Protein backbone atom coordinates (compact mmCIF):
# COMPACT_ATOMS: atom_id res chain seq x y z
CA UNK A 1 0.00 0.00 0.00
CA UNK A 2 1.01 3.64 -0.33
CA UNK A 3 1.32 4.08 3.43
CA UNK A 4 3.51 0.97 3.64
CA UNK A 5 5.85 2.48 1.01
CA UNK A 6 5.93 5.74 2.98
CA UNK A 7 6.83 3.88 6.14
CA UNK A 8 9.70 2.05 4.43
CA UNK A 9 11.01 5.38 3.17
CA UNK A 10 10.79 7.49 6.31
CA UNK A 11 10.97 4.98 9.16
CA UNK A 12 12.41 1.70 7.80
CA UNK A 13 13.21 0.32 11.28
CA UNK A 14 9.52 0.26 12.20
CA UNK A 15 8.67 -2.18 9.39
CA UNK A 16 11.66 -4.53 9.54
CA UNK A 17 9.41 -7.40 10.68
CA UNK A 18 6.62 -6.62 8.22
CA UNK A 19 4.00 -3.89 8.04
CA UNK A 20 1.43 -3.98 10.84
CA UNK A 21 -0.33 -0.64 11.16
CA UNK A 22 -1.30 -1.23 14.81
CA UNK A 23 2.29 -1.90 15.85
CA UNK A 24 3.71 1.28 14.34
CA UNK A 25 4.91 3.72 16.97
CA UNK A 26 4.15 6.53 14.54
CA UNK A 27 2.92 6.26 10.94
CA UNK A 28 4.91 8.30 8.41
CA UNK A 29 1.79 10.31 7.51
CA UNK A 30 1.10 11.30 11.12
CA UNK A 31 2.80 13.91 13.31
CA UNK A 32 2.14 14.81 16.93
CA UNK A 33 3.13 18.34 17.97
CA UNK A 34 3.05 19.06 21.70
CA UNK A 35 1.81 22.59 22.38
CA UNK A 36 3.69 24.40 25.18
CA UNK A 37 2.17 27.01 27.52
CA UNK A 38 4.74 29.64 26.43
CA UNK A 39 3.64 29.64 22.77
CA UNK A 40 2.48 33.24 22.50
CA UNK A 41 3.68 33.74 18.93
CA UNK A 42 4.02 31.55 15.86
CA UNK A 43 7.83 31.05 15.87
CA UNK A 44 7.43 27.54 17.34
CA UNK A 45 5.03 26.62 14.53
CA UNK A 46 6.37 28.21 11.34
CA UNK A 47 10.00 28.77 12.39
CA UNK A 48 12.14 31.86 11.73
CA UNK A 49 15.23 33.17 9.96
CA UNK A 50 18.33 33.25 12.17
CA UNK A 51 21.60 35.09 11.59
CA UNK A 52 23.45 33.28 14.36
CA UNK A 53 26.38 31.61 12.64
CA UNK A 54 25.68 31.80 8.93
CA UNK A 55 22.16 32.91 7.91
CA UNK A 56 19.77 29.94 8.06
CA UNK A 57 16.10 29.19 8.62
CA UNK A 58 15.09 27.32 11.77
CA UNK A 59 12.44 24.86 10.64
CA UNK A 60 10.01 23.13 13.00
CA UNK A 61 8.52 19.60 12.97
CA UNK A 62 5.24 21.21 11.86
CA UNK A 63 6.81 22.81 8.77
CA UNK A 64 8.81 19.69 7.88
CA UNK A 65 5.62 17.63 8.09
CA UNK A 66 3.70 20.06 5.84
CA UNK A 67 6.56 19.82 3.31
CA UNK A 68 6.40 16.01 3.48
CA UNK A 69 2.66 16.16 2.77
CA UNK A 70 3.44 18.28 -0.32
CA UNK A 71 5.77 15.53 -1.56
CA UNK A 72 3.02 12.87 -1.33
CA UNK A 73 -0.18 14.60 -2.37
CA UNK A 74 -2.12 11.37 -2.93
CA UNK A 75 -1.91 10.36 0.76
CA UNK A 76 -3.87 12.00 3.62
CA UNK A 77 -1.47 13.49 6.20
CA UNK A 78 -2.71 13.94 9.78
CA UNK A 79 -1.18 16.50 12.12
CA UNK A 80 -2.30 16.41 15.76
CA UNK A 81 -1.70 19.31 18.15
CA UNK A 82 -1.56 17.74 21.60
CA UNK A 83 -3.19 19.79 24.38
CA UNK A 84 -3.67 22.58 21.86
CA UNK A 85 -5.28 25.03 24.29
CA UNK A 86 -2.39 25.17 26.77
CA UNK A 87 -1.61 28.39 24.85
CA UNK A 88 -3.99 30.75 22.99
CA UNK A 89 -4.57 29.09 19.62
CA UNK A 90 -5.08 32.32 17.67
CA UNK A 91 -1.61 33.51 18.78
CA UNK A 92 0.63 30.56 17.87
CA UNK A 93 -1.53 29.40 14.95
CA UNK A 94 -2.17 32.82 13.38
CA UNK A 95 -0.69 32.00 9.96
CA UNK A 96 -2.54 28.69 9.73
CA UNK A 97 -5.91 30.21 10.69
CA UNK A 98 -5.37 32.89 8.08
CA UNK A 99 -4.27 30.41 5.40
CA UNK A 100 -7.31 28.14 5.74
CA UNK A 101 -9.54 31.19 5.25
CA UNK A 102 -7.86 31.88 1.90
CA UNK A 103 -8.43 28.47 0.27
CA UNK A 104 -9.24 28.60 -3.43
CA UNK A 105 -8.87 26.61 -6.62
CA UNK A 106 -6.77 28.48 -9.21
CA UNK A 107 -6.02 26.92 -12.60
CA UNK A 108 -7.05 23.56 -11.18
CA UNK A 109 -4.56 23.90 -8.30
CA UNK A 110 -5.46 24.08 -4.61
CA UNK A 111 -4.04 27.34 -3.26
CA UNK A 112 -3.85 29.14 0.10
CA UNK A 113 -1.98 32.10 1.49
CA UNK A 114 1.51 31.06 2.63
CA UNK A 115 2.36 30.17 6.23
CA UNK A 116 5.99 31.02 5.31
CA UNK A 117 6.45 33.83 2.78
CA UNK A 118 8.07 33.10 -0.63
CA UNK A 119 11.52 31.65 0.07
CA UNK A 120 13.18 34.01 -2.44
CA UNK A 121 12.39 36.86 -0.03
CA UNK A 122 14.86 35.38 2.49
CA UNK A 123 17.78 35.86 0.07
CA UNK A 124 20.24 38.62 1.00
CA UNK A 125 20.71 41.34 -1.63
CA UNK A 126 23.22 44.16 -1.96
CA UNK A 127 22.31 47.80 -2.65
CA UNK A 128 22.02 47.07 -6.38
CA UNK A 129 19.54 44.23 -5.82
CA UNK A 130 22.02 41.46 -6.63
CA UNK A 131 21.66 38.31 -4.53
CA UNK A 132 24.71 37.87 -2.27
CA UNK A 133 23.38 34.95 -0.22
CA UNK A 134 20.82 32.53 -1.60
CA UNK A 135 19.27 31.24 1.62
CA UNK A 136 16.24 30.05 -0.39
CA UNK A 137 18.36 27.27 -1.94
CA UNK A 138 19.41 25.99 1.48
CA UNK A 139 15.82 26.16 2.76
CA UNK A 140 14.60 24.12 -0.22
CA UNK A 141 17.42 21.58 0.15
CA UNK A 142 16.51 21.09 3.83
CA UNK A 143 12.77 20.66 3.19
CA UNK A 144 12.77 18.70 -0.08
CA UNK A 145 16.27 17.21 -0.47
CA UNK A 146 18.01 16.81 -3.80
CA UNK A 147 15.93 17.98 -6.76
CA UNK A 148 16.17 14.64 -8.53
CA UNK A 149 12.56 14.32 -9.72
CA UNK A 150 10.13 16.60 -11.56
CA UNK A 151 7.84 16.67 -8.50
CA UNK A 152 10.65 17.97 -6.31
CA UNK A 153 11.67 20.50 -8.92
CA UNK A 154 8.07 21.77 -9.20
CA UNK A 155 7.86 21.98 -5.40
CA UNK A 156 11.11 23.94 -5.27
CA UNK A 157 9.65 26.46 -7.73
CA UNK A 158 6.43 26.66 -5.70
CA UNK A 159 8.22 27.26 -2.38
CA UNK A 160 10.57 29.81 -3.95
CA UNK A 161 7.81 31.88 -5.59
CA UNK A 162 4.66 31.21 -3.50
CA UNK A 163 6.13 30.25 -0.13
CA UNK A 164 4.95 27.31 1.96
CA UNK A 165 1.19 27.08 1.44
CA UNK A 166 -1.14 24.39 2.81
CA UNK A 167 -1.51 21.22 0.74
CA UNK A 168 -5.02 19.83 0.22
CA UNK A 169 -4.09 16.46 1.76
CA UNK A 170 -3.20 17.93 5.18
CA UNK A 171 -5.75 17.41 7.97
CA UNK A 172 -5.12 19.15 11.27
CA UNK A 173 -6.70 18.00 14.52
CA UNK A 174 -6.04 18.72 18.15
CA UNK A 175 -6.73 17.39 21.62
CA UNK A 176 -8.21 19.68 24.25
CA UNK A 177 -8.95 19.53 27.95
CA UNK A 178 -11.09 22.24 29.48
CA UNK A 179 -9.96 23.11 33.00
CA UNK A 180 -8.50 26.00 35.00
CA UNK A 181 -5.02 25.59 33.43
CA UNK A 182 -6.15 26.00 29.81
CA UNK A 183 -7.46 28.73 27.50
CA UNK A 184 -11.00 28.56 26.19
CA UNK A 185 -11.41 28.78 22.42
CA UNK A 186 -12.29 32.13 20.93
CA UNK A 187 -15.17 32.24 18.46
CA UNK A 188 -12.57 33.01 15.77
CA UNK A 189 -11.05 29.56 16.34
CA UNK A 190 -14.36 27.75 16.81
CA UNK A 191 -15.54 29.19 13.49
CA UNK A 192 -12.70 27.39 11.74
CA UNK A 193 -12.97 24.04 13.53
CA UNK A 194 -15.36 21.23 14.31
CA UNK A 195 -15.27 20.54 18.04
CA UNK A 196 -16.15 17.00 19.06
CA UNK A 197 -16.86 16.34 22.74
CA UNK A 198 -15.86 12.84 23.80
CA UNK A 199 -16.94 12.07 27.33
CA UNK A 200 -18.42 8.58 27.08
CA UNK A 201 -16.67 6.28 29.55
CA UNK A 202 -17.14 2.53 29.03
CA UNK A 203 -15.66 0.99 32.15
CA UNK A 204 -17.01 -2.48 31.33
CA UNK A 205 -14.85 -2.58 28.18
CA UNK A 206 -11.85 -0.99 29.92
CA UNK A 207 -11.75 -3.58 32.70
CA UNK A 208 -12.10 -6.45 30.20
CA UNK A 209 -9.14 -5.03 28.27
CA UNK A 210 -11.21 -4.54 25.12
CA UNK A 211 -9.80 -2.01 22.72
CA UNK A 212 -11.37 0.43 20.29
CA UNK A 213 -8.63 -0.15 17.72
CA UNK A 214 -10.79 -2.22 15.39
CA UNK A 215 -11.10 0.64 12.94
CA UNK A 216 -11.70 -0.45 9.38
CA UNK A 217 -8.88 0.22 6.96
CA UNK A 218 -9.31 3.32 4.83
CA UNK A 219 -10.73 2.61 1.38
CA UNK A 220 -9.74 4.50 -1.76
CA UNK A 221 -13.17 6.16 -1.75
CA UNK A 222 -12.70 7.46 1.81
CA UNK A 223 -9.15 8.57 1.01
CA UNK A 224 -10.36 10.52 -2.02
CA UNK A 225 -13.15 12.15 -0.01
CA UNK A 226 -10.56 13.29 2.55
CA UNK A 227 -8.15 14.72 -0.02
CA UNK A 228 -10.45 16.23 -2.65
CA UNK A 229 -12.65 18.18 -0.28
CA UNK A 230 -14.74 20.98 -1.78
CA UNK A 231 -13.99 24.49 -0.50
CA UNK A 232 -17.28 26.21 -1.29
CA UNK A 233 -20.39 24.70 0.24
CA UNK A 234 -22.74 26.06 -2.42
CA UNK A 235 -21.15 23.88 -5.11
CA UNK A 236 -20.59 20.83 -2.88
CA UNK A 237 -22.39 17.72 -4.08
CA UNK A 238 -25.62 16.73 -2.29
CA UNK A 239 -25.48 19.71 0.10
CA UNK A 240 -29.26 19.89 0.72
CA UNK A 241 -28.98 23.68 0.53
CA UNK A 242 -32.71 24.42 0.89
CA UNK A 243 -32.98 22.46 4.15
CA UNK A 244 -29.76 24.03 5.47
CA UNK A 245 -30.90 27.57 4.57
CA UNK A 246 -34.24 27.14 6.34
CA UNK A 247 -32.56 25.65 9.43
CA UNK A 248 -29.83 28.31 9.78
CA UNK A 249 -32.34 31.12 9.20
CA UNK A 250 -34.46 29.81 12.08
CA UNK A 251 -31.37 29.46 14.31
CA UNK A 252 -30.33 33.05 13.56
CA UNK A 253 -33.82 34.31 14.37
CA UNK A 254 -33.28 33.02 17.91
CA UNK A 255 -29.70 34.34 18.04
CA UNK A 256 -30.66 37.84 16.81
CA UNK A 257 -29.14 40.62 18.97
CA UNK A 258 -26.66 38.23 20.61
CA UNK A 259 -22.91 37.97 19.96
CA UNK A 260 -23.47 34.34 18.90
CA UNK A 261 -25.30 35.02 15.63
CA UNK A 262 -24.02 32.92 12.70
CA UNK A 263 -22.34 34.41 9.65
CA UNK A 264 -21.58 33.26 6.11
CA UNK A 265 -18.70 31.07 7.24
CA UNK A 266 -21.06 28.95 9.34
CA UNK A 267 -23.39 28.55 6.36
CA UNK A 268 -20.51 27.40 4.16
CA UNK A 269 -19.39 24.91 6.81
CA UNK A 270 -22.92 23.58 7.29
CA UNK A 271 -23.27 22.90 3.55
CA UNK A 272 -19.86 21.23 3.48
CA UNK A 273 -20.70 19.09 6.51
CA UNK A 274 -24.05 17.93 5.16
CA UNK A 275 -22.42 17.17 1.80
CA UNK A 276 -19.52 15.22 3.37
CA UNK A 277 -21.92 13.36 5.63
CA UNK A 278 -24.14 12.19 2.76
CA UNK A 279 -21.17 11.26 0.53
CA UNK A 280 -19.50 9.24 3.27
CA UNK A 281 -22.68 7.55 4.47
CA UNK A 282 -25.65 8.01 2.11
CA UNK A 283 -28.02 6.45 4.65
CA UNK A 284 -27.47 9.33 7.11
CA UNK A 285 -30.46 11.61 7.47
CA UNK A 286 -29.87 15.34 6.75
CA UNK A 287 -31.42 16.25 10.11
CA UNK A 288 -28.93 13.96 11.81
CA UNK A 289 -26.04 15.74 10.07
CA UNK A 290 -27.47 19.13 11.09
CA UNK A 291 -27.83 17.89 14.67
CA UNK A 292 -24.13 17.04 14.70
CA UNK A 293 -23.28 20.37 13.09
CA UNK A 294 -25.29 22.15 15.79
CA UNK A 295 -23.42 20.37 18.56
CA UNK A 296 -20.01 21.05 17.03
CA UNK A 297 -20.43 24.49 15.57
CA UNK A 298 -23.35 26.36 17.10
CA UNK A 299 -23.66 25.30 20.75
CA UNK A 300 -19.88 25.48 21.20
CA UNK A 301 -20.05 29.27 20.49
CA UNK A 302 -22.55 30.00 23.24
CA UNK A 303 -21.04 30.75 26.64
CA UNK A 304 -21.95 32.79 29.66
CA UNK A 305 -23.99 32.59 32.86
CA UNK A 306 -27.76 32.50 33.23
CA UNK A 307 -27.90 36.30 33.45
CA UNK A 308 -26.13 36.86 30.12
CA UNK A 309 -27.66 34.08 28.02
CA UNK A 310 -31.02 33.88 29.79
CA UNK A 311 -33.50 31.62 28.04
CA UNK A 312 -31.47 31.32 24.86
CA UNK A 313 -30.69 27.57 25.06
CA UNK A 314 -34.34 26.71 25.76
CA UNK A 315 -35.43 28.77 22.77
CA UNK A 316 -32.90 27.03 20.54
Amino acid sequence: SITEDLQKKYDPKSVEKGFNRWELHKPANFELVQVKPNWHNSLEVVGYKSNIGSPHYEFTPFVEFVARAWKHQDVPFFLCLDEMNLAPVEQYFAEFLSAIESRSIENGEYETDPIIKPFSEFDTRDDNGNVTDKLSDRMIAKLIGKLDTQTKSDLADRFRTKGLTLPKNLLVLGTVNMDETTFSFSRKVLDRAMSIVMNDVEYDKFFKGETENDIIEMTDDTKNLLIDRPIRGLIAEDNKSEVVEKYLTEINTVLEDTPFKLGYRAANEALLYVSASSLLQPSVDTNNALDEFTLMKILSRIEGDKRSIGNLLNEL
Side-chain angles (χ1 to χ4, degrees):
S1 72
I2 297 174
T3 43
E4 188 172 347
D5 295 339
L6 270 188
Q7 206 66 27
K8 285 175 183 165
K9 181 173 181 178
Y10 292 107
D11 189 9
K13 285 191 83 152
S14 67
V15 287
E16 278 171 354
K17 299 191 180 93
F19 180 77
N20 179 335
R21 65 196 182 113
W22 295 122
E23 286 178 9
L24 293 179
H25 178 61
K26 190 170 80 170
N29 61 333
F30 174 80
E31 181 66 71
L32 186 76
V33 172
Q34 290 154 336
V35 173
K36 306 288 192 301
N38 63 345
W39 284 14
H40 290 283
N41 60 46
S42 56
L43 298 184
E44 299 283 354
V45 175
V46 297
Y48 54 91
K49 180 182 177 180
S50 169
N51 289 316
I52 297 171
S54 59
H56 63 284
Y57 194 95
E58 287 283 350
F59 287 115
T60 63
F62 172 78
V63 168
E64 287 167 356
F65 187 71
V66 173
R68 183 186 291 186
W70 266 114
K71 289 197 279 188
H72 306 280
Q73 293 172 50
D74 54 345
V75 182
F77 274 68
F78 300 92
L79 177 98
C80 180
L81 296 164
D82 193 28
E83 302 287 358
M84 72 180 291
N85 62 332
L86 283 179
V89 180
E90 59 279 358
Q91 291 180 16
Y92 70 80
F93 228 28
E95 284 86 352
F96 179 86
L97 293 174
S98 170
I100 55 174
E101 280 296 279
S102 66
R103 292 170 299 175
S104 64
I105 302 291
E106 292 169 28
N107 304 324
E109 290 274 305
Y110 178 89
E111 298 290 356
T112 72
D113 285 350
I115 56 173
I116 299 178
K117 66 184 180 181
F119 289 7
S120 59
E121 294 182 26
F122 291 99
D123 293 341
T124 308
R125 297 171 189 276
D126 62 20
D127 294 342
N128 300 322
N130 299 316
V131 174
T132 55
D133 179 52
K134 210 161 187 196
L135 175 53
S136 57
D137 280 355
R138 299 197 295 281
M139 292 169 71
I140 286 163
K142 172 92 170 99
L143 279 188
I144 307 175
K146 206 166 87 192
L147 303 184
D148 51 2
T149 63
Q150 188 58 48
T151 305
K152 285 185 178 178
S153 184
D154 292 346
L155 270 187
D157 290 343
R158 164 179 277 278
F159 291 172
R160 191 175 276 114
T161 57
K162 295 183 177 176
L164 183 67
T165 58
L166 300 176
K168 64 179 181 178
N169 57 327
L170 177 71
L171 297 116
V172 176
L173 27 143
T175 63
V176 172
N177 278 304
M178 289 297 185
D179 59 37
E180 64 284 352
T181 68
T182 60
F183 291 86
S184 63
F185 283 130
S186 63
R187 282 197 288 279
K188 175 182 178 178
V189 173
L190 288 170
D191 270 355
R192 292 160 173 77
M194 293 285 186
S195 37
I196 302 171
V197 179
M198 292 188 275
N199 46 16
D200 285 354
V201 178
E202 296 180 310
Y203 271 152
D204 54 336
K205 287 185 180 173
F206 174 79
F207 282 102
K208 284 186 202 139
E210 289 177 9
T211 169
E212 294 173 358
N213 278 355
D214 310 330
I215 298 163
I216 54 170
E217 203 141 343
M218 193 181 290
T219 64
D220 278 346
D221 286 347
T222 312
K223 185 193 81 169
N224 294 335
L225 285 174
L226 279 175
I227 293 176
D228 290 314
R229 308 189 300 278
I231 295 166
R232 291 186 53 227
L234 284 171
I235 58 173
E237 200 180 322
D238 220 3
N239 62 15
K240 309 286 194 294
S241 59
E242 287 172 10
V243 180
V244 174
E245 181 186 357
K246 182 172 181 289
Y247 182 71
L248 294 183
T249 304
E250 288 180 12
I251 292 280
N252 256 359
T253 306
V254 178
L255 296 179
E256 196 67 60
D257 301 325
T258 75
F260 313 119
K261 195 173 170 186
L262 304 173
Y264 298 118
R265 189 185 293 115
N268 189 53
E269 298 269 320
L271 292 166
L272 290 174
Y273 191 79
V274 168
S275 162
S277 174
S278 60
L279 289 174
L280 190 67
Q281 222 174 337
S283 60
V284 168
D285 178 47
T286 306
N287 287 336
N288 199 45
L290 283 171
D291 260 358
E292 292 174 357
F293 178 82
T294 304
L295 272 174
M296 294 191 286
K297 216 63 170 162
I298 300 174
L299 294 180
S300 60
R301 298 162 55 84
I302 299 171
E303 58 177 2
D305 56 19
K306 189 133 172 76
R307 196 177 57 226
S308 61
I309 59 175
N311 212 27
L312 189 61
L313 292 176
N314 288 339
E315 286 177 42
L316 278 174

